[in-house]
Amino acid sequence: MKIIYLIMISLSILNADFVRSDSNNTVIDTIHNLEWQDDSSMGSQMPMHWEDAIGHCESLSLDGSGWRLPNISELKSSLDYTQYPIIPSPFVQITNSYYWSSTSYSLTDAKNNAWYVHLYTGAIYYDEKRLNSAVRCVRDEE
């Protein structure tokens, strides 16, 4: 377990470089070319079921379209395990909560479980998709 944690810390140092765009309340990951939603007025801080989270992101019209629920790798790439909370400082809209990923948990009945991440502690878990978690949408940076 200690080795995994050390690897996660090492990878997070190399993970991403973030730039805030206050004009549209987004954060750009310049390493992975991803644009992250950081606007609580768009409903992302309100906990919702997994399927609702997918629909929420797909219908998001924050400065255009193309938004989606991030997969677990993308969600983890937005974290910095060298600090607490582990969400980097360019993000200002943070709920001390779990955030859904679009990745189903493959070791059980995938239609019922998905991965999520706690954006304060970095804890990664899976649980039933019918439960409520927060949402942070992402899209590919153009």
Side-chain angles (χ1 to χ4, degrees), residues 54-109:
I54 289 175
H56 167 78
C57 288
E58 290 175 351
S59 65
L60 185 65
S61 60
L62 175 64
D63 193 36
S65 61
W67 294 97
R68 58 186 166 73
L69 192 62
N71 64 46
I72 192 65
S73 296
E74 291 168 331
L75 194 54
K76 289 189 304 187
S77 78
S78 72
L79 307 177
D80 180 354
Y81 285 90
T82 65
Q83 64 182 38
Y84 181 85
I86 63 164
I87 192 77
S89 59
F91 289 95
V92 295
Q93 299 296 330
I94 307 167
T95 299
N96 188 2
S97 181
Y98 293 97
Y99 283 73
W100 281 122
S101 81
S102 63
T103 308
S104 292
Y105 181 67
S106 61
L107 296 180
T108 64
D109 186 0

Side-chain angles (χ1 to χ4, degrees), residues 1-16 76-77 79-84 86 121-122 124:
M1 187 66 162
K2 290 180 184 178
I3 293 172
I4 292 172
Y5 184 70
L6 291 174
I7 291 170
M8 290 171 60
I9 289 173
S10 300
L11 290 176
S12 70
I13 294 168
L14 304 172
N15 240 0
K76 289 189 304 187
S77 78
L79 307 177
D80 180 354
Y81 285 90
T82 65
Q83 64 182 38
Y84 181 85
I86 63 164
T121 65
I124 301 168

Side-chain angles (χ1 to χ4, degrees), residues 9-81:
I9 289 173
S10 300
L11 290 176
S12 70
I13 294 168
L14 304 172
N15 240 0
D17 190 17
F18 297 100
V19 178
R20 180 162 185 82
S21 172
D22 285 322
S23 64
N24 62 1
N25 291 316
T26 62
V27 174
I28 307 296
D29 173 348
T30 60
I31 302 295
H32 298 100
N33 295 319
L34 296 172
E35 183 175 14
W36 291 91
Q37 173 194 13
D38 195 37
D39 182 3
S40 64
S41 69
M42 300 303 224
S44 65
Q45 304 301 317
M46 186 175 75
M48 59 187 79
H49 300 270
W50 184 80
E51 287 183 8
D52 293 338
I54 289 175
H56 167 78
C57 288
E58 290 175 351
S59 65
L60 185 65
S61 60
L62 175 64
D63 193 36
S65 61
W67 294 97
R68 58 186 166 73
L69 192 62
N71 64 46
I72 192 65
S73 296
E74 291 168 331
L75 194 54
K76 289 189 304 187
S77 78
S78 72
L79 307 177
D80 180 354
Y81 285 90

